[in-house]
């Protein structure tokens, strides 16, 4: 029979913290370093929508000729933001920095959601105990 304290140690806060730190470090390394070797070729969705068209570069921008679904595409609302298209201000040499900032923003949003959930649980626990 296993002691409850041993089981608690195996799933205790230190193991969770170690996992989260390792996960965050991995995410930052992938975003900061591996992003530089990512392909600049269109992914599956982009490639599919561009079937029937030829992509040419005109004055630093892509232009589609022919008939394809992508010709009716419009820029998204965040296209002019500093981190659009995995760059910083359009500078593609800063892809890794943009990736790190994106991961940091995602972790910050996650932490806010976790705090809200935990506060909601504490409030629910107090309400059910006092009832």
């Amino acid at each position: 029979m296993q002691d409850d304290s041993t089981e608690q140690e195996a799933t205790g806060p230190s193991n969770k913290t170690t996992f989260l730190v390792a996960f965050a470090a991995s995410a930052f390394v992938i975003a900061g370093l591996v992003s530089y070797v990512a392909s600049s070729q269109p992914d599956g969705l982009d490639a599919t929508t561009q079937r029937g068209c030829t992509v040419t570069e005109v004055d630093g921008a892509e232009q589609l000729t022919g008939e394809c679904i992508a010709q009716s595409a419009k820029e998204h609302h965040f296209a002019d933001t500093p981190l659009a298209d995995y760059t910083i201000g359009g500078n593609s040499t800063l892809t890794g920095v943009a990736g790190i900032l994106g991961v940091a923003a995602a972790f910050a949003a996650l932490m806010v959601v976790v705090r809200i959930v935990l506060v909601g649980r504490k409030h629910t626990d107090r309400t059910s105990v006092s009832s």
Side-chain angles (χ1 to χ4, degrees), residues 4 11 14 25 31-32 42-43 48 59 74 81 89 92 103-104 106 109-110 116 127 130:
D4 285 341
T11 59
S14 64
D43 62 11
T48 301
D59 297 328
K74 297 176 183 164
T81 60
S92 61
V103 167
L110 175 66
I116 290 170
T127 306
S130 64

Side-chain angles (χ1 to χ4, degrees), residues 2 13-14 30-31 33 62 66 72 76 78 82 85 92 100 112 114 119 127:
Q2 188 173 1
S14 64
I30 290 169
L33 299 176
E62 290 182 349
S72 62
H76 54 85
F78 299 109
D85 295 328
S92 61
I100 289 171
V112 168
V114 166
V119 167
T127 306

Side-chain angles (χ1 to χ4, degrees), residues 15-130:
N15 283 341
K16 289 177 185 175
T17 303
T18 302
F19 170 76
L20 290 175
V21 168
F23 182 76
S26 299
F28 280 108
V29 167
I30 290 169
L33 299 176
V34 179
S35 59
Y36 285 107
V37 295
S39 174
S40 62
Q41 298 299 316
D43 62 11
L45 181 60
D46 283 340
T48 301
T49 61
Q50 292 176 3
R51 282 190 186 148
C53 284
T54 304
V55 181
T56 56
E57 193 168 321
V58 178
D59 297 328
E62 290 182 349
Q63 183 176 358
L64 297 173
T65 57
E67 288 190 30
C68 62
I69 299 170
Q71 285 185 326
S72 62
K74 297 176 183 164
E75 285 291 333
H76 54 85
H77 297 292
F78 299 109
D80 294 329
T81 60
L83 297 177
D85 295 328
Y86 307 106
T87 64
I88 295 181
N91 185 350
S92 61
T93 60
L94 299 174
T95 298
V97 177
I100 289 171
L101 291 174
V103 167
F107 274 112
L110 175 66
M111 295 314 292
V112 168
V113 170
V114 166
R115 292 276 182 199
I116 290 170
V117 169
L118 290 177
V119 167
R121 281 187 181 174
K122 286 181 184 178
H123 178 53
T124 303
D125 289 344
R126 282 189 223 148
T127 306
S128 63
V129 169
S130 64

